[in-house]
Amino acid sequence: MTHKEFIMKTNTTEPTATLEETAKLTQLASFIQYRKQQKSQLTNTETNKNSLSKKSQNNHEKAKEKPKILQIFDQINEQLSEGHTMYEMTVNDEYEKSLIAELTDNNWASVIGVKEDELCHHDTNTPIILQKLAQTVDGVGETQVNYIVWLHRQWYAEQSLAKQLMKIAHRKVAAFNGISSSREVDNGLAPKPNTMQQLAIEKSSQHALSIIIGGPGTGKTFTVAKLVTSLQKGHEHKRKQDPNLPPLSITLTAPTGKAAQRMQESLRISLQKSLQDEEITLDNAKTLHRLLGIGSDGIPRYHAKNPLPDDLIIVDEASMLGLELASQLVDAIKPTGRLILLGDANQLAAVDAGSVLSDLCAVTRLQPYITELTESKRFDSNSVVGQFALAIQQNLPAPKKLKLIHQLLQPIDLQGFKPSQNANPPDLAGKTQQTANIPFYPIDASSSLPAVFNQLAKPYHPFFALMQQWYSQPVNIFEADNRKGLFEVFDSYRILCAGHQGQLGTQSINQKMSLAFTEFSKITRSKAYFYHGLPIIIQNNDYQLGLFNGDIAICLLYQGQLYACFAEKVIPIQRLSRESCDYAYAMTIHKSQGSEFHTVAICIDKAHTRLLSQALIYTAVTRSKSALSIYSAKENFELAVTQKAVRQTGLQLQFDHLNNTP
């Protein structure tokens, strides 16, 4: 069987369980077992860490020692671990051609060609999908063929996402035609949206699909509040004319529990400001997993055959959307439903494979549905933090970019300072940092790490003092106002690390901050993991307790009992396990997405080198509302602000395929 025989003209739908498919899956299972057996025999095989670089001749020779099929699976697995959904492969010699032939002849791969009638109509029930891009002849007359290589699961998710989004985009929304002009946007509500916010509202009202992007403080949530207000008012007016018309169902959701919680609170505040004496009720925001009913098996309760009942779904922090979750979401939207995606395309991509939001923003066919908000109210023209965030995004040669960035920094040498000294370096990470440059603490072999940790701990002193006070004079932690005041103090500052490992990673810093609290408060604590004054972060979703990954709690002693105090609830500490949480003085930048703090300290260790990118630093910087400080070796910091992390995905290619579909 040749690879051309794999190019079928049958329409690709969601795979169904057939005897033939079951046989193929059984074959795949046998192959996986074979692969495990082969691993013990494979030695001295170098793995290519850069998915985009070409294999050297030496590596090419070593690769020949490995079974041919395993090379493809190994490369795909490595790509997925780095967040890519596919990779490009150039076939230019007989050995590589034989590899493709073996994959296709043994039903491991389906080959998709470049002709219009070969793009989207195939039998793709094979573990690997090969997209043939182009065929060229090099200088010595050798034929080169370029392929894109997917695992079937990622290929199907990208294809499904592209198809469903275009279906939603082309959907008629006459039933929601409540806003047709700027006059209807205002509705007498204050404050009024600016020009771009108004445009976003109009687009969202006219189309079933809307993507609203913008940096911190550009008013994404405010814009949605205005839209929701107008839609609700318009719909209620129609209900007065037609009592049989059901209420408008609007759902708020986000990829993480923390992001959903923050979205709900921000939208509530925006609605209060806009509505004044009127009231609109919305259901509590949910995580996407909870909205879709995804259990431990990863299978959603809601899908195309059992769609969500909601009329409008609003997704915040869409930059955190992974490919498969995004595909499951759009698949579950009902035939008359609408979707609004909110996010900052410059932030970090999802932990899972894919970079959905940034990919969508680059798709030509989606431009009519995208609005970018640029006017920030968080950072004014005098804000050095705002200037720094903009500088990180500048598309400049590295020398010019670094010169621009260093102009915004104030290097502070901690060498020679001891923790016990009364004279401390200037604390420029306060809440009022505006025109003063950002404190930059260069870390090298000669740096005094105790002085570093001392400086990192200083902004936590108000929190330490409050915990000391509540230890000697306990307050009623079951009163919401007391918990609100507690989190206002704690959330005024946070340490954000690029990774967990290293002297400036979360593990080390959390231990040092815990010791700093003990030294400051003079509270004698037991050897138990949990103690009075300890901030903790939840690591996994717990639907029984109503806790989500990223939720923060403070451990507090009250009436002889230790509790975990969250913003919305209080739970006896016995109901939490050591494995379910971690210390929260310092958290990773990834984990901080969806959160905001008055003051942020960014820590970069040499152990974090492979994690560094512009998006990482930009995400950390934009968690700050007003002030910032940076602790890093100069070379690591400069690498972070100049290195772009580009994920290799096939989503745009799938949209291009739709352009060619009859």
Side-chain angles (χ1 to χ4, degrees), residues 357-378:
L357 185 62
S358 61
D359 283 350
L360 296 181
C361 291
V363 175
T364 303
R365 297 182 71 182
L366 293 180
Q367 296 310 304
Y369 314 101
I370 300 173
T371 309
E372 183 177 6
L373 308 180
T374 56
E375 184 180 332
S376 178
K377 293 188 177 181
R378 182 188 298 181

Side-chain angles (χ1 to χ4, degrees), residues 178-411:
I179 307 170
S180 59
S181 70
S182 60
R183 293 189 299 273
E184 296 175 348
V185 170
D186 292 340
N187 281 330
L189 305 178
K192 295 183 179 181
N194 62 36
T195 302
M196 295 309 297
Q197 290 170 339
Q198 182 177 295
L199 178 62
I201 294 171
E202 292 179 6
K203 282 188 178 183
S204 299
S205 67
Q206 296 165 5
H207 303 292
L209 174 67
S210 180
I211 302 173
I212 303 173
I213 59 174
T218 52
K220 296 186 293 292
T221 304
F222 169 80
T223 302
V224 169
K226 284 288 188 180
L227 174 67
V228 168
T229 300
S230 299
L231 287 177
Q232 288 275 31
K233 285 178 169 292
H235 191 75
E236 289 304 311
H237 178 72
K238 292 180 180 180
R239 290 189 70 199
K240 290 179 181 178
Q241 300 174 339
D242 182 5
N244 295 322
L245 193 66
L248 188 62
S249 174
I250 300 177
T251 291
L252 312 176
T253 185
T256 67
K258 184 66 177 178
Q261 185 183 47
R262 179 171 165 266
M263 177 194 191
Q264 180 177 315
E265 180 64 16
S266 299
L267 190 57
R268 182 188 64 79
I269 294 172
S270 293
L271 286 172
Q272 285 179 344
K273 292 179 179 178
S274 295
L275 292 173
Q276 297 175 345
D277 297 329
E278 302 181 54
E279 184 176 354
I280 286 179
T281 57
L282 292 173
D283 293 335
N284 291 338
K286 307 172 184 173
T287 65
L288 279 164
H289 282 79
R290 192 164 195 175
L291 174 68
L292 296 171
I294 300 175
S296 57
D297 58 2
I299 299 175
R301 175 186 174 189
Y302 294 99
H303 44 77
K305 296 180 180 179
N306 182 35
L308 291 162
D310 310 281
D311 298 310
L312 171 62
I313 295 173
I314 303 172
V315 183
D316 199 13
E317 298 293 345
S319 64
M320 302 169 67
L321 271 176
L323 169 63
E324 291 196 42
L325 188 58
S327 179
Q328 290 171 330
L329 170 64
V330 299
D331 190 54
I333 294 175
K334 67 180 183 180
T336 57
R338 296 156 63 109
L339 174 66
I340 298 177
L341 301 177
L342 308 173
D344 186 346
N346 294 310
Q347 286 191 29
L348 282 167
V351 175
D352 298 328
S355 56
V356 173
L357 185 62
S358 61
D359 283 350
L360 296 181
C361 291
V363 175
T364 303
R365 297 182 71 182
L366 293 180
Q367 296 310 304
Y369 314 101
I370 300 173
T371 309
E372 183 177 6
L373 308 180
T374 56
E375 184 180 332
S376 178
K377 293 188 177 181
R378 182 188 298 181
F379 304 124
D380 59 31
S381 57
N382 294 323
S383 170
V384 68
V385 178
Q387 295 174 35
F388 187 55
L390 290 174
I392 294 172
Q393 301 177 59
Q394 293 293 315
N395 188 20
L396 296 171
K400 290 185 178 180
K401 187 172 187 176
L402 290 174
K403 182 179 180 180
L404 174 63
I405 286 175
H406 279 296
Q407 290 174 352
L408 302 172
L409 303 179
Q410 178 179 336

Side-chain angles (χ1 to χ4, degrees), residues 27 63 90 101 236 303 328 336 345 414 422 497 541 559 617 621 642:
Q27 187 181 13
T90 300
E236 289 304 311
H303 44 77
Q328 290 171 330
T336 57
L414 284 172
N422 293 325
C497 304
N541 294 338
Q559 295 183 345
I617 301 304
V621 170
T642 56

